[in-house]
């Protein structure tokens, strides 16, 4: 029985990642030649950069994608390191949009999305074809969530599984570590965040424990930036370092106040799954807005931490 649940969980996570890729591909293809130009054009101030990063990440459903594009533009000299920081802050906010949509339990709609998406992507051309891909990706994500929920149902009845999660809930650092490692392994904070929402919805982890995992998810997603920055010029490496510092410091600032933060998320209402999604939104929103007024000074700090080598 355990191996069946494990296999179903792996299939669910794989399907979720595949759905995210299909949906992102469709959204990117609609503006494949415009994304770098859009970013370059609208990032001349921290505020415009933050808004640009938020909107683009919400549209293509990938903070890692926007971050990688930013690293590429900085590497090519098409955008300054300081200008990229607003985009990074915005991408952290924009990544919460998918989680917000999926947290309202509409995965039962996977069949209409799959059918409509398949028809549009197979029989139409141009923009409509790419819209079909995006819809098809959404359908795959909903189906994957259904598989994940069914996989976790038998596991929830096993005492050892509950004991492990309960122990992690009482030790936030373990939750942060679990979220960091899992997100680094599957390179999708959205997937691990949705898994956390499912765990909370089934009573396997409480809200403070889920928030600790969410914090870890945000730290683990910086691994993609590190990989993208390998072999790039200094300023591109600084973008990756800034992403790491922002997410790690944000997590460190929230960690001592998880209990109070959980109460704030409960105040916004909804079931525990919605509350976990709310914590994801508030954590990224507060962390980004706290740094936003000091973007120029933060850029100087990162440059000081990673100076140019003297020749």
């Amino acid at each position: 029985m355990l191996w069946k649940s494990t296999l179903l969980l792996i299939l669910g996570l794989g399907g979720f990642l595949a759905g995210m890729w299909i949906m992102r591909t469709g959204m990117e293809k609609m503006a494949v030649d415009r994304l770098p130009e859009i970013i370059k054009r609208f990032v001349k101030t921290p505020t415009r950069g933050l808004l640009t990063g938020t909107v683009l990440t919400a549209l293509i459903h990938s903070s890692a994608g926007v971050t990688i594009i930013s690293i590429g533009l900085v590497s090519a000299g098409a955008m300054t390191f300081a200008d990229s920081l607003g985009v990074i802050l915005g991408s952290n906010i924009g990544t919460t949009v998918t989680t917000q949509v999926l947290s309202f339990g509409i995965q039962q709609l996977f069949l209409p999305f799959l059918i409509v998406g398949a028809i549009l992507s197979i029989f139409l051309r141009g923009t409509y074809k790419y819209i079909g891909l995006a819809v098809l990706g959404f359908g795959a994500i909903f189906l994957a969530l259904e598989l994940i929920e069914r996989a976790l149902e038998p596991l929830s009845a096993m005492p050892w599984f509950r004991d492990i999660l309960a122990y992690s809930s009482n030790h936030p650092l373990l939750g942060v570590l679990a979220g960091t490692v899992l997100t680094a392994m599957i390179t999708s904070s959205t997937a691990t965040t949705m898994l956390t929402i499912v765990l909370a919805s089934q009573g396997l982890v409480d809200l403070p424990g889920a928030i600790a995992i969410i914090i870890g998810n945000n730290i683990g997603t910086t691994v993609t930036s590190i990989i993208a920055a390998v072999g790039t010029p200094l300023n591109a490496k600084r973008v990756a370092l800034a992403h790491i510092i922002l997410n790690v410091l944000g997590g460190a600032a929230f960690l001592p106040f998880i209990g109070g933060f959980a109460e704030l998320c409960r105040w916004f209402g909804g079931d525990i799954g919605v509350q976990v999604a709310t914590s994801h939104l508030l954590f990224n929103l507060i962390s980004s807005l706290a740094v936003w007024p000091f973007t120029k000074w933060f850029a100087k700090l990162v440059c000081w931490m990673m100076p140019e080598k003297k020749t």
Side-chain angles (χ1 to χ4, degrees), residues 22 26 113-137:
I22 293 170
F113 273 86
L114 288 175
I115 293 173
V116 172
I119 291 173
L120 290 177
S121 58
I122 293 173
F123 294 105
L124 299 181
R125 293 290 179 267
T127 302
Y128 295 106
K129 179 183 180 69
Y130 301 133
I131 292 175
L133 277 178
V135 174
L136 184 64

Side-chain angles (χ1 to χ4, degrees), residues 28-173:
E28 287 176 343
K29 289 291 185 180
M30 284 189 276
V32 66
D33 298 323
R34 301 178 189 171
L35 281 178
E37 188 61 37
I38 290 171
I39 292 177
K40 282 193 295 182
R41 183 177 179 183
F42 293 102
V43 300
K44 293 306 180 183
T45 67
T47 302
R48 288 167 65 180
L50 184 140
L51 292 174
T52 301
T54 300
V55 172
L56 285 181
T57 304
L59 288 175
I60 70 171
H61 305 282
S62 174
S63 61
V66 173
T67 302
I68 289 170
I69 291 173
S70 299
I71 290 174
L73 290 173
V74 172
S75 179
M79 182 168 66
T80 67
F81 161 62
D83 286 342
S84 73
L85 292 182
V87 180
I88 300 299
L89 291 173
S91 70
N92 281 350
I93 298 173
T95 195
T96 65
V97 172
T98 304
T99 307
Q100 287 292 312
V101 173
L102 297 178
S103 68
F104 287 99
I106 55 175
Q107 55 263 38
Q108 294 80 9
L109 298 175
F110 70 85
L111 191 56
F113 273 86
L114 288 175
I115 293 173
V116 172
I119 291 173
L120 290 177
S121 58
I122 293 173
F123 294 105
L124 299 181
R125 293 290 179 267
T127 302
Y128 295 106
K129 179 183 180 69
Y130 301 133
I131 292 175
L133 277 178
V135 174
L136 184 64
F138 249 116
I141 288 171
F142 292 147
L143 177 59
L145 287 175
E146 190 73 20
L147 292 177
I148 290 171
E149 288 188 0
R150 293 187 181 184
L152 290 174
E153 282 176 3
L155 289 175
S156 65
M158 298 181 180
W160 63 268
F161 189 70
R162 283 184 171 276
D163 290 343
I164 291 174
L165 290 174
Y167 187 78
S168 298
S169 294
N170 295 324
H171 297 78
L173 281 175

